[in-house]
Amino acid sequence: MKHIPLKHPILQGNQIMADKNRSRLADHSICMINLMSSPGSGKTSLLEYSLRCLSQQVKIGVIEGDVATTLDAERIASTGVKAVQINTHGACHLDAQMIASAFTSFDLNRLDLLIIENVGNLVCPADFDLGESFRVVMLSTTEGADKVLKYPSVFTYADAVILSKIDLLPHVRFDVNLFTQTMHEINPRAPIFKVSALSGEGMQSWISWLLQKKEEDSM
Amino acid sequence: MKHIPLKHPILQGNQIMADKNRSRLADHSICMINLMSSPGSGKTSLLEYSLRCLSQQVKIGVIEGDVATTLDAERIASTGVKAVQINTHGACHLDAQMIASAFTSFDLNRLDLLIIENVGNLVCPADFDLGESFRVVMLSTTEGADKVLKYPSVFTYADAVILSKIDLLPHVRFDVNLFTQTMHEINPRAPIFKVSALSGEGMQSWISWLLQKKEEDSM
């Protein structure tokens, strides 16, 4: 995957497809979440925990985006939830066309909630609307609170932000107050969920938000 | 920054400039390191520690690549080493032209070692030769051993690999044996340094390698 800055034509093409995806999901009353973070922030662990709580009450599907391997889709499938793996083969983000192609692997009449785990990358995925209902961005406590300012685009346009791995707070130098303050300054409307998928701390608030957004989206 | 896959022309243009950079560095007997990792793996912390050990015996400069802010250049400057900040304003990697421009901020006659801290991203920087002598890739223990297979390009072409934050090993589920075995399979020639920039453990081996490569490069 090689890159060239081409501001409008690429985004316009992606936007047309994203709008089609959004319209298609609306026809089926499906809420779609686009989950983004750095590699290793804990997206798959968050999903494993969340799906085990939700899969009895909500019809869920997962789309896994990775440069290579099917490791994450296998982890999701072990929860009993259907997961479709997209391998980008070097590309640094998912785009709306890839998501449209993944739709064909699901029966959309039998879904309430579709969660996309984007390629682990805090830069490129921020530019690509996939047709999602909500964008959720995760940062782990091991990455440092300065990342909000260093990667502003993805945090500015998030509908919710998850601070993960809070079980590690006693062992790392993460300034929670600085993180919270910076997030409120650049994006005051995004709620912040502080969670540990290991201990379960904070997970109920995140899961309740997810259920509430699914309800709002299907009304 | 919007992206389109354009395999050859972009890389060819970048390669021409990278070769010019390499030739220019050779004229001045400067060894250049391209340091890559995810956001928050600890590149800047590694450099702060390394520069404090090295700056009395080696003439060093640092090029900091970030999407936004000058936070990292300020941290490096506090060690007494000159740091030049490149802000990519949304772009997900440094390219050889950006490095050529940064050269103008240094007196190349007064440098032995130039270290580039690339944009925090395990995907895109792997494709762009900057004219470096050696590529060093860092993974932190909090990211998970599966990242080697999930982001194969950057690890396959590394000249050395640093496993950082080993002080956190008692608190995270990181399979060191799996990591080591996978690295040896996909890239047997790259030495692996297991370090903690917090405790200093393993840092001397990494710094010795850096000094040795600088000597080899200037012979």
Coordinates of all heavy atoms in Angstrom, one line a residue, chain A residues 1-7 10-11 38-40 66-69 71-72 75 90-93 117 119-124 127-128 142-143 146-147 149-152 165 167-168 171-173 198, chain B residues 1-7 10-11 38-40 66-69 71-72 75 90-93 117 119-124 127-128 142-143 146-147 149-152 165 167-168 171-173 198:
Chain A
M1 N 0.9 -1.2 0.0 CA 0.0 0.0 0.0 C 0.9 1.2 0.0 O 1.7 1.5 0.9 CB -0.9 0.0 1.2 CG -1.7 1.2 1.4 SD -3.1 1.3 0.2 CE -3.9 2.8 0.8
K2 N 0.8 2.1 -1.0 CA 1.6 3.3 -1.1 C 0.5 4.4 -1.1 O -0.6 4.3 -1.5 CB 2.4 3.4 -2.4 CG 3.0 2.0 -2.8 CD 3.8 1.3 -1.8 CE 3.9 -0.2 -2.1 NZ 4.2 -1.0 -1.0
H3 N 0.9 5.6 -0.6 CA 0.0 6.7 -0.3 C 0.3 7.9 -1.1 O 1.5 8.3 -1.2 CB -0.1 7.0 1.1 CG -0.5 5.8 2.0 ND1 0.0 5.6 3.2 CD2 -1.3 4.8 1.7 CE1 -0.5 4.5 3.7 NE2 -1.3 4.0 2.8
I4 N -0.7 8.6 -1.5 CA -0.5 9.9 -2.1 C -1.6 10.8 -1.6 O -2.8 10.4 -1.4 CB -0.5 9.9 -3.6 CG1 -0.2 11.2 -4.2 CG2 -1.8 9.4 -4.2 CD1 0.1 11.2 -5.7
P5 N -1.3 12.0 -1.2 CA -2.4 12.9 -0.7 C -3.3 13.3 -1.9 O -2.9 14.0 -2.8 CB -1.7 14.1 -0.1 CG -0.3 13.9 -0.3 CD 0.0 12.7 -1.2
L6 N -4.5 12.9 -1.9 CA -5.5 13.3 -2.9 C -6.8 13.7 -2.1 O -7.6 12.8 -1.8 CB -5.8 12.2 -3.8 CG -4.7 11.8 -4.8 CD1 -5.2 10.5 -5.6 CD2 -4.5 12.9 -5.8
K7 N -7.0 15.0 -1.8 CA -8.0 15.3 -0.8 C -9.4 14.9 -1.2 O -10.0 14.1 -0.5 CB -7.9 16.8 -0.6 CG -6.6 17.3 0.0 CD -6.7 17.3 1.5 CE -5.4 17.8 2.1 NZ -5.2 17.5 3.4
I10 N -11.0 10.9 -3.7 CA -11.0 9.6 -3.0 C -12.1 9.7 -1.9 O -12.9 8.8 -1.8 CB -9.7 9.4 -2.3 CG1 -8.6 9.3 -3.3 CG2 -9.7 8.0 -1.5 CD1 -8.8 8.3 -4.4
L11 N -12.1 10.8 -1.1 CA -13.1 10.9 -0.1 C -14.5 11.0 -0.7 O -15.4 10.4 -0.1 CB -12.8 12.2 0.7 CG -12.2 12.0 2.1 CD1 -12.6 13.1 3.0 CD2 -12.5 10.7 2.7
S38 N -5.1 2.4 18.3 CA -3.8 1.9 17.9 C -3.8 0.3 18.0 O -4.7 -0.3 18.5 CB -2.8 2.3 19.0 OG -2.7 3.7 19.1
P39 N -2.8 -0.3 17.4 CA -2.6 -1.7 17.6 C -2.5 -2.0 19.0 O -1.7 -1.3 19.7 CB -1.3 -2.0 16.8 CG -1.1 -0.9 15.8 CD -1.7 0.3 16.5
G40 N -3.1 -3.1 19.5 CA -2.9 -3.5 20.9 C -3.5 -2.7 22.0 O -3.1 -2.9 23.2
D66 N -8.1 -6.3 9.4 CA -6.7 -6.5 9.8 C -5.9 -6.5 8.5 O -6.3 -6.9 7.5 CB -6.5 -7.8 10.5 CG -6.9 -7.8 12.0 OD1 -6.2 -7.0 12.7 OD2 -7.8 -8.4 12.4
V67 N -4.6 -6.0 8.7 CA -3.7 -6.1 7.5 C -3.5 -7.5 7.1 O -3.5 -7.9 5.9 CB -2.3 -5.4 7.9 CG1 -1.3 -5.6 6.8 CG2 -2.5 -4.0 8.3
A68 N -3.3 -8.4 8.1 CA -3.1 -9.8 7.8 C -3.6 -10.7 9.0 O -3.9 -10.2 10.1 CB -1.6 -10.1 7.6
T69 N -3.8 -11.9 8.7 CA -4.2 -13.0 9.7 C -5.8 -13.0 9.9 O -6.4 -11.9 9.7 CB -3.6 -13.0 11.1 OG1 -4.2 -12.0 11.9 CG2 -2.1 -12.8 11.0
L71 N -6.7 -14.0 13.1 CA -6.6 -14.2 14.5 C -7.8 -13.6 15.3 O -8.4 -14.2 16.2 CB -5.3 -13.7 15.1 CG -4.0 -14.4 14.6 CD1 -2.8 -13.6 14.9 CD2 -3.9 -15.8 15.2
D72 N -8.1 -12.3 15.0 CA -9.2 -11.6 15.7 C -10.6 -12.2 15.4 O -11.4 -12.4 16.3 CB -9.1 -10.1 15.4 CG -8.0 -9.4 16.1 OD1 -7.2 -10.1 16.8 OD2 -7.8 -8.2 15.8
R75 N -11.0 -15.2 17.5 CA -11.3 -14.9 18.9 C -12.8 -14.5 19.0 O -13.5 -14.9 20.0 CB -10.4 -13.7 19.4 CG -9.0 -14.2 19.7 CD -8.1 -13.0 20.0 NE -8.5 -12.3 21.2 CZ -7.9 -11.2 21.6 NH1 -6.9 -10.7 21.0 NH2 -8.3 -10.6 22.7
G90 N -2.0 -5.0 3.5 CA -1.1 -3.9 3.5 C -1.8 -2.5 3.6 O -1.1 -1.6 4.1
A91 N -3.1 -2.4 3.3 CA -3.7 -1.1 3.4 C -4.0 -0.8 4.9 O -4.2 -1.7 5.7 CB -5.1 -1.1 2.7
C92 N -4.0 0.5 5.2 CA -3.9 0.9 6.6 C -5.2 1.2 7.2 O -5.3 1.8 8.3 CB -3.0 2.1 6.6 SG -3.4 3.4 5.4
H93 N -6.3 1.0 6.5 CA -7.7 1.3 7.0 C -8.7 0.5 6.2 O -8.4 0.0 5.2 CB -7.9 2.8 6.8 CG -7.9 3.2 5.4 ND1 -6.8 3.6 4.7 CD2 -8.9 3.2 4.4 CE1 -7.0 3.8 3.5 NE2 -8.3 3.6 3.2
E117 N -14.4 -3.7 13.9 CA -13.1 -3.4 14.5 C -12.2 -3.1 13.4 O -11.8 -3.9 12.5 CB -12.6 -4.7 15.2 CG -11.3 -4.4 15.9 CD -10.7 -5.6 16.7 OE1 -11.4 -6.5 17.1 OE2 -9.5 -5.6 16.9
V119 N -8.7 -1.5 11.3 CA -7.3 -1.8 11.4 C -6.7 -1.0 12.5 O -7.0 0.2 12.7 CB -6.6 -1.4 10.1 CG1 -5.1 -1.6 10.1 CG2 -7.2 -2.2 8.9
G120 N -5.8 -1.6 13.3 CA -5.1 -0.8 14.4 C -4.3 0.3 13.9 O -3.2 0.1 13.4
N121 N -4.8 1.5 14.0 CA -4.1 2.7 13.4 C -4.9 3.9 13.9 O -6.1 4.0 13.7 CB -4.2 2.5 11.9 CG -3.4 3.6 11.1 OD1 -3.2 4.7 11.7 ND2 -3.0 3.3 9.9
L122 N -4.2 4.9 14.5 CA -4.8 6.1 15.0 C -4.9 7.2 13.9 O -5.5 8.2 14.2 CB -4.1 6.6 16.2 CG -4.5 6.1 17.6 CD1 -3.8 6.8 18.7 CD2 -6.1 6.2 17.8
V123 N -4.3 7.0 12.8 CA -4.3 8.1 11.8 C -5.3 7.8 10.6 O -6.3 8.5 10.6 CB -2.8 8.2 11.2 CG1 -2.8 9.5 10.3 CG2 -1.8 8.3 12.3
C124 N -5.0 6.9 9.8 CA -5.7 6.8 8.5 C -7.2 6.5 8.7 O -8.1 7.0 7.9 CB -5.1 5.7 7.6 SG -3.3 5.8 7.7
D127 N -10.2 9.2 8.5 CA -10.6 9.9 7.4 C -11.7 9.2 6.6 O -12.3 9.8 5.7 CB -9.4 10.1 6.4 CG -8.5 11.2 6.9 OD1 -9.0 12.1 7.6 OD2 -7.3 11.2 6.5
F128 N -12.0 7.9 6.9 CA -12.9 7.2 6.1 C -14.2 6.8 6.7 O -14.3 5.9 7.6 CB -12.2 5.9 5.6 CG -11.1 6.2 4.6 CD1 -9.9 6.7 4.9 CD2 -11.4 6.0 3.2 CE1 -8.9 7.0 4.0 CE2 -10.5 6.3 2.2 CZ -9.2 6.8 2.6
T142 N -1.6 2.5 28.7 CA -0.2 2.3 28.5 C 0.3 3.2 27.4 O 1.6 3.3 27.2 CB 0.1 0.9 28.1 OG1 -0.5 0.6 26.9 CG2 -0.4 -0.1 29.2
E143 N -0.6 3.9 26.6 CA -0.1 4.7 25.4 C 0.2 6.1 25.8 O 0.9 6.8 25.0 CB -1.2 4.6 24.4 CG -1.4 3.3 23.7 CD -2.6 3.2 22.8 OE1 -2.6 3.9 21.8 OE2 -3.6 2.5 23.2
D146 N -0.9 12.0 26.1 CA -0.6 13.0 25.1 C -1.1 12.6 23.7 O -1.1 13.4 22.8 CB 0.9 13.2 25.0 CG 1.7 11.9 24.7 OD1 1.2 10.8 25.0 OD2 2.9 12.0 24.3
K147 N -1.6 11.3 23.6 CA -2.0 10.9 22.3 C -3.2 11.6 21.7 O -3.4 11.7 20.5 CB -2.2 9.3 22.3 CG -1.0 8.5 22.6 CD 0.2 8.8 21.7 CE 1.5 8.2 22.2 NZ 2.0 8.7 23.4
L149 N -3.8 14.8 21.8 CA -3.3 15.9 21.0 C -2.5 15.5 19.8 O -2.4 16.2 18.8 CB -2.6 16.9 21.9 CG -3.4 17.7 23.0 CD1 -2.5 18.5 23.8 CD2 -4.5 18.5 22.3
K150 N -1.8 14.4 20.0 CA -0.8 14.0 18.9 C -1.6 13.4 17.7 O -1.1 13.4 16.6 CB 0.2 13.1 19.4 CG 1.2 13.8 20.3 CD 2.3 12.8 20.9 CE 3.2 12.3 19.8 NZ 4.1 11.3 20.3
Y151 N -2.8 12.8 18.0 CA -3.6 12.2 16.9 C -5.0 12.9 17.0 O -6.0 12.2 17.3 CB -3.6 10.7 17.1 CG -2.3 10.1 17.0 CD1 -1.5 10.0 18.2 CD2 -1.7 9.6 15.8 CE1 -0.2 9.5 18.1 CE2 -0.4 9.1 15.8 CZ 0.3 9.0 16.9 OH 1.6 8.5 16.9
P152 N -5.1 14.2 16.7 CA -6.4 14.9 17.1 C -7.6 14.5 16.2 O -8.7 14.5 16.8 CB -6.0 16.4 16.8 CG -4.9 16.3 15.8 CD -4.1 15.1 16.1
K165 N -7.7 -0.7 29.7 CA -6.6 -1.2 30.6 C -6.4 -0.3 31.8 O -5.3 -0.1 32.2 CB -5.3 -1.3 29.8 CG -5.4 -2.1 28.5 CD -4.0 -2.4 27.9 CE -4.2 -3.0 26.5 NZ -2.9 -3.4 25.8
D167 N -6.9 -1.3 34.7 CA -6.3 -2.2 35.7 C -4.7 -1.9 35.8 O -4.1 -2.2 36.8 CB -6.5 -3.7 35.4 CG -6.1 -4.1 34.0 OD1 -6.8 -3.6 33.0 OD2 -5.2 -4.8 33.8
L168 N -4.2 -1.4 34.7 CA -2.7 -1.1 34.7 C -2.3 0.2 35.2 O -1.1 0.6 35.3 CB -2.1 -1.3 33.3 CG -2.2 -2.7 32.7 CD1 -1.7 -2.7 31.3 CD2 -1.3 -3.6 33.5
H171 N 0.6 0.9 37.5 CA 1.9 0.5 37.0 C 2.4 1.4 35.9 O 3.5 1.1 35.4 CB 1.9 -1.0 36.5 CG 1.2 -1.9 37.5 ND1 1.8 -2.2 38.7 CD2 0.1 -2.6 37.5 CE1 1.0 -3.1 39.4 NE2 -0.1 -3.3 38.6
V172 N 1.6 2.3 35.4 CA 2.0 3.2 34.3 C 1.9 4.6 34.7 O 1.1 5.0 35.6 CB 1.2 2.9 33.0 CG1 1.5 1.4 32.5 CG2 -0.3 3.1 33.2
R173 N 2.6 5.5 33.9 CA 2.5 6.9 34.2 C 1.5 7.5 33.3 O 1.8 8.2 32.3 CB 3.9 7.6 34.1 CG 4.8 7.1 35.2 CD 6.2 7.8 35.1 NE 6.9 7.4 33.9 CZ 8.2 7.6 33.7 NH1 8.9 8.3 34.6 NH2 8.9 7.2 32.7
L198 N -10.3 -6.9 31.5 CA -9.7 -8.0 32.3 C -10.5 -8.2 33.6 O -11.0 -9.3 34.0 CB -8.2 -7.7 32.7 CG -7.3 -8.9 33.0 CD1 -7.2 -9.8 31.8 CD2 -5.9 -8.3 33.3
Chain B
M1 N -5.6 14.0 5.1 CA -4.8 13.0 4.3 C -5.7 11.9 3.8 O -6.3 11.2 4.6 CB -3.7 12.4 5.1 CG -2.8 11.4 4.5 SD -1.8 12.1 3.2 CE -0.9 10.6 2.7
K2 N -5.9 11.8 2.5 CA -6.7 10.7 1.9 C -5.7 9.8 1.1 O -4.6 10.2 0.7 CB -7.7 11.3 0.9 CG -8.3 12.6 1.4 CD -8.8 12.6 2.8 CE -9.0 14.0 3.3 NZ -9.0 14.0 4.8
H3 N -6.1 8.5 1.0 CA -5.1 7.6 0.4 C -5.7 6.9 -0.8 O -6.8 6.6 -0.8 CB -4.8 6.5 1.5 CG -4.2 7.1 2.7 ND1 -4.4 6.6 4.0 CD2 -3.4 8.2 2.9 CE1 -3.8 7.3 4.9 NE2 -3.2 8.3 4.2
I4 N -4.8 6.6 -1.7 CA -5.2 5.7 -2.8 C -4.0 4.8 -3.1 O -2.8 5.2 -2.9 CB -5.5 6.6 -4.1 CG1 -6.0 5.7 -5.2 CG2 -4.3 7.4 -4.5 CD1 -6.5 6.5 -6.3
P5 N -4.3 3.5 -3.4 CA -3.2 2.6 -3.6 C -2.6 2.9 -5.0 O -3.2 2.8 -6.0 CB -3.8 1.2 -3.6 CG -5.3 1.4 -3.3 CD -5.6 2.9 -3.4
L6 N -1.3 3.3 -5.0 CA -0.6 3.5 -6.3 C 0.7 2.9 -6.1 O 1.6 3.5 -5.5 CB -0.4 5.0 -6.5 CG -1.7 5.8 -6.9 CD1 -1.3 7.3 -7.0 CD2 -2.2 5.3 -8.3
K7 N 0.9 1.7 -6.5 CA 2.1 0.9 -6.1 C 3.4 1.6 -6.5 O 4.2 1.9 -5.7 CB 2.0 -0.5 -6.7 CG 0.8 -1.3 -6.2 CD 1.2 -2.1 -5.0 CE -0.1 -2.8 -4.5 NZ 0.0 -3.3 -3.1
I10 N 4.7 6.3 -6.8 CA 5.0 6.9 -5.5 C 6.2 6.4 -4.9 O 7.1 7.2 -4.5 CB 3.8 6.7 -4.6 CG1 2.5 7.2 -5.2 CG2 4.0 7.4 -3.2 CD1 2.5 8.7 -5.6
L11 N 6.3 5.1 -4.9 CA 7.5 4.4 -4.3 C 8.7 4.8 -5.1 O 9.8 5.0 -4.5 CB 7.3 2.9 -4.3 CG 7.0 2.3 -2.9 CD1 7.5 0.9 -2.8 CD2 7.5 3.1 -1.7
S38 N 3.9 1.4 17.0 CA 2.6 2.0 17.2 C 2.7 3.2 18.1 O 3.7 3.5 18.7 CB 1.8 1.0 18.1 OG 1.7 -0.3 17.5
P39 N 1.6 4.0 18.1 CA 1.6 5.1 19.1 C 1.7 4.6 20.5 O 1.1 3.6 20.9 CB 0.2 5.7 18.9 CG -0.3 5.3 17.5 CD 0.3 3.9 17.4
G40 N 2.5 5.3 21.3 CA 2.6 4.9 22.7 C 3.4 3.7 23.1 O 3.3 3.2 24.2
D66 N 5.6 13.6 13.7 CA 4.3 13.5 14.4 C 3.2 14.1 13.5 O 3.4 15.1 12.8 CB 4.3 14.3 15.7 CG 4.9 13.5 16.8 OD1 4.4 12.4 17.1 OD2 6.0 13.9 17.3
V67 N 2.0 13.6 13.6 CA 0.8 14.2 12.9 C 0.7 15.7 13.4 O 0.5 16.6 12.6 CB -0.4 13.4 13.2 CG1 -1.7 14.1 12.6 CG2 -0.3 12.0 12.6
A68 N 0.7 15.9 14.7 CA 0.5 17.2 15.3 C 1.3 17.3 16.6 O 1.8 16.3 17.2 CB -0.9 17.4 15.6
T69 N 1.5 18.5 17.0 CA 2.2 18.9 18.3 C 3.8 18.9 18.1 O 4.3 18.2 17.2 CB 1.8 18.1 19.5 OG1 2.5 16.9 19.6 CG2 0.3 17.9 19.6
L71 N 5.4 18.1 21.1 CA 5.6 17.5 22.4 C 6.9 16.7 22.5 O 7.7 16.8 23.4 CB 4.4 16.7 22.8 CG 3.1 17.5 23.1 CD1 1.9 16.5 23.2 CD2 3.2 18.4 24.3
D72 N 7.0 15.8 21.4 CA 8.2 14.9 21.5 C 9.5 15.6 21.3 O 10.5 15.3 21.9 CB 8.0 13.8 20.4 CG 6.9 12.8 20.8 OD1 6.4 12.9 22.0 OD2 6.6 11.9 20.0
R75 N 10.6 17.1 24.5 CA 11.1 16.1 25.4 C 12.6 15.7 25.0 O 13.4 15.6 25.9 CB 10.3 14.8 25.4 CG 9.0 14.9 26.1 CD 8.1 13.7 25.9 NE 8.7 12.5 26.5 CZ 8.1 11.3 26.4 NH1 7.0 11.1 25.7 NH2 8.7 10.2 26.9
G90 N -1.7 15.3 9.4 CA -2.7 14.3 9.0 C -2.0 13.2 8.2 O -2.6 12.1 8.2
A91 N -0.9 13.3 7.6 CA -0.2 12.2 6.9 C 0.3 11.2 7.9 O 0.7 11.5 9.0 CB 0.9 12.7 6.0
C92 N 0.3 9.9 7.5 CA 0.4 8.8 8.4 C 1.8 8.2 8.5 O 2.1 7.2 9.1 CB -0.5 7.7 8.0 SG -0.4 7.3 6.2
H93 N 2.8 8.9 7.8 CA 4.2 8.4 7.7 C 5.1 9.6 7.3 O 4.6 10.6 6.8 CB 4.3 7.3 6.7 CG 4.0 7.7 5.3 ND1 2.7 7.7 4.8 CD2 4.7 8.3 4.4 CE1 2.7 8.2 3.6 NE2 3.9 8.5 3.3
E117 N 12.5 9.5 14.7 CA 11.3 8.8 15.3 C 10.1 9.0 14.4 O 9.6 10.1 14.2 CB 11.0 9.5 16.7 CG 9.9 8.8 17.4 CD 9.5 9.3 18.8 OE1 10.4 10.0 19.4 OE2 8.3 9.1 19.2
V119 N 6.3 8.6 12.6 CA 4.9 8.7 13.1 C 4.5 7.4 13.7 O 4.8 6.3 13.2 CB 3.9 9.1 11.9 CG1 2.5 9.1 12.4 CG2 4.3 10.4 11.3
G120 N 3.8 7.4 14.8 CA 3.3 6.2 15.5 C 2.3 5.5 14.7 O 1.1 5.9 14.6
N121 N 2.8 4.4 14.0 CA 1.9 3.7 13.0 C 2.7 2.4 12.6 O 3.8 2.5 12.2 CB 1.7 4.6 11.9 CG 0.7 4.1 10.8 OD1 0.6 2.8 10.7 ND2 0.1 4.9 10.1
L122 N 2.1 1.3 12.7 CA 2.8 0.0 12.4 C 2.5 -0.4 10.9 O 3.1 -1.4 10.4 CB 2.3 -1.1 13.2 CG 3.0 -1.4 14.6 CD1 2.5 -2.7 15.2 CD2 4.5 -1.4 14.4
V123 N 1.7 0.4 10.2 CA 1.4 0.0 8.8 C 2.2 0.9 7.8 O 3.1 0.4 7.1 CB -0.1 0.1 8.5 CG1 -0.4 -0.5 7.2 CG2 -0.9 -0.5 9.6
C124 N 1.8 2.1 7.6 CA 2.3 2.9 6.5 C 3.8 3.2 6.5 O 4.4 3.2 5.4 CB 1.5 4.2 6.5 SG -0.3 4.0 6.8
D127 N 6.5 1.1 4.3 CA 6.6 1.2 2.9 C 7.6 2.3 2.4 O 7.9 2.3 1.2 CB 5.3 1.4 2.2 CG 4.4 0.2 2.2 OD1 5.0 -0.9 2.3 OD2 3.2 0.4 2.2
F128 N 8.0 3.2 3.3 CA 8.7 4.3 2.8 C 10.2 4.3 3.3 O 10.5 4.6 4.5 CB 8.0 5.6 3.3 CG 6.8 5.9 2.5 CD1 5.6 5.2 2.7 CD2 6.8 6.7 1.3 CE1 4.5 5.4 2.0 CE2 5.7 6.9 0.6 CZ 4.5 6.2 0.9
T142 N 2.6 -4.4 26.2 CA 1.2 -4.2 26.4 C 0.4 -4.4 25.1 O -0.8 -4.5 25.2 CB 0.9 -2.8 26.9 OG1 1.3 -1.9 26.0 CG2 1.6 -2.6 28.2
E143 N 1.1 -4.5 24.0 CA 0.3 -4.6 22.7 C 0.0 -6.0 22.3 O -0.9 -6.2 21.4 CB 1.2 -4.0 21.6 CG 1.3 -2.5 21.7 CD 2.3 -1.9 20.8 OE1 2.1 -1.9 19.6 OE2 3.4 -1.4 21.3
D146 N 0.8 -11.1 19.2 CA 0.2 -11.4 17.9 C 0.5 -10.3 16.9 O 0.3 -10.5 15.7 CB -1.3 -11.7 18.0 CG -2.0 -10.5 18.6 OD1 -1.4 -9.6 19.3 OD2 -3.2 -10.4 18.5
K147 N 1.0 -9.2 17.3 CA 1.2 -8.0 16.4 C 2.2 -8.3 15.3 O 2.2 -7.7 14.2 CB 1.5 -6.7 17.2 CG 0.4 -6.3 18.1 CD -0.9 -6.2 17.5 CE -2.1 -5.9 18.5 NZ -2.4 -7.1 19.4
L149 N 2.6 -11.0 13.6 CA 1.9 -11.6 12.4 C 0.9 -10.7 11.8 O 0.6 -10.7 10.6 CB 1.3 -12.9 12.8 CG 2.3 -14.1 13.1 CD1 1.5 -15.3 13.5 CD2 3.1 -14.4 11.8
K150 N 0.3 -9.8 12.7 CA -0.8 -9.0 12.2 C -0.3 -7.8 11.4 O -1.1 -7.2 10.6 CB -1.7 -8.5 13.3 CG -2.5 -9.7 13.9 CD -3.4 -9.2 15.1 CE -4.5 -8.3 14.6 NZ -5.3 -7.7 15.8
Y151 N 0.9 -7.4 11.6 CA 1.6 -6.3 10.9 C 2.9 -6.7 10.4 O 4.0 -6.3 10.8 CB 1.7 -5.1 11.9 CG 0.4 -4.6 12.4 CD1 -0.1 -5.2 13.6 CD2 -0.3 -3.6 11.8 CE1 -1.4 -4.8 14.1 CE2 -1.6 -3.2 12.3 CZ -2.1 -3.8 13.4 OH -3.3 -3.5 13.9
P152 N 2.9 -7.7 9.4 CA 4.1 -8.4 9.1 C 5.2 -7.6 8.4 O 6.4 -7.8 8.6 CB 3.6 -9.6 8.2 CG 2.3 -9.1 7.6 CD 1.7 -8.2 8.7
K165 N 8.9 -1.9 27.5 CA 8.1 -2.0 28.7 C 8.1 -3.4 29.3 O 7.0 -3.9 29.8 CB 6.6 -1.6 28.4 CG 6.5 -0.2 27.7 CD 5.1 0.3 27.6 CE 5.0 1.6 26.8 NZ 3.7 2.2 26.7
D167 N 9.2 -4.0 32.1 CA 8.8 -3.9 33.5 C 7.4 -4.2 33.7 O 7.0 -4.6 34.9 CB 9.2 -2.5 34.0 CG 8.5 -1.4 33.1 OD1 8.9 -1.2 32.0 OD2 7.6 -0.8 33.6
L168 N 6.5 -4.2 32.7 CA 5.1 -4.5 32.8 C 4.8 -5.9 32.7 O 3.6 -6.3 32.8 CB 4.3 -3.6 31.9 CG 4.2 -2.1 32.1 CD1 3.5 -1.4 31.1 CD2 3.6 -1.8 33.5
H171 N 2.4 -7.8 34.8 CA 1.0 -7.3 34.9 C 0.2 -7.5 33.6 O -1.0 -7.2 33.5 CB 1.0 -5.8 35.2 CG 1.9 -5.5 36.4 ND1 1.6 -6.0 37.7 CD2 3.0 -4.8 36.5 CE1 2.5 -5.5 38.5 NE2 3.4 -4.9 37.8
V172 N 0.8 -8.0 32.5 CA 0.1 -8.2 31.2 C 0.3 -9.6 30.7 O 1.1 -10.3 31.2 CB 0.7 -7.2 30.1 CG1 0.4 -5.7 30.6 CG2 2.2 -7.4 29.9
R173 N -0.6 -10.0 29.8 CA -0.5 -11.3 29.2 C 0.2 -11.3 27.9 O -0.4 -11.3 26.9 CB -2.0 -11.9 29.1 CG -2.7 -12.1 30.4 CD -4.0 -12.8 30.2 NE -5.0 -11.8 29.7 CZ -6.3 -12.0 29.7 NH1 -6.8 -13.1 30.1 NH2 -7.1 -11.1 29.2
L198 N 12.2 2.6 31.8 CA 11.9 3.0 33.1 C 12.9 2.5 34.1 O 13.5 3.3 34.9 CB 10.5 2.5 33.5 CG 9.7 3.2 34.6 CD1 9.4 4.7 34.2 CD2 8.4 2.5 34.9

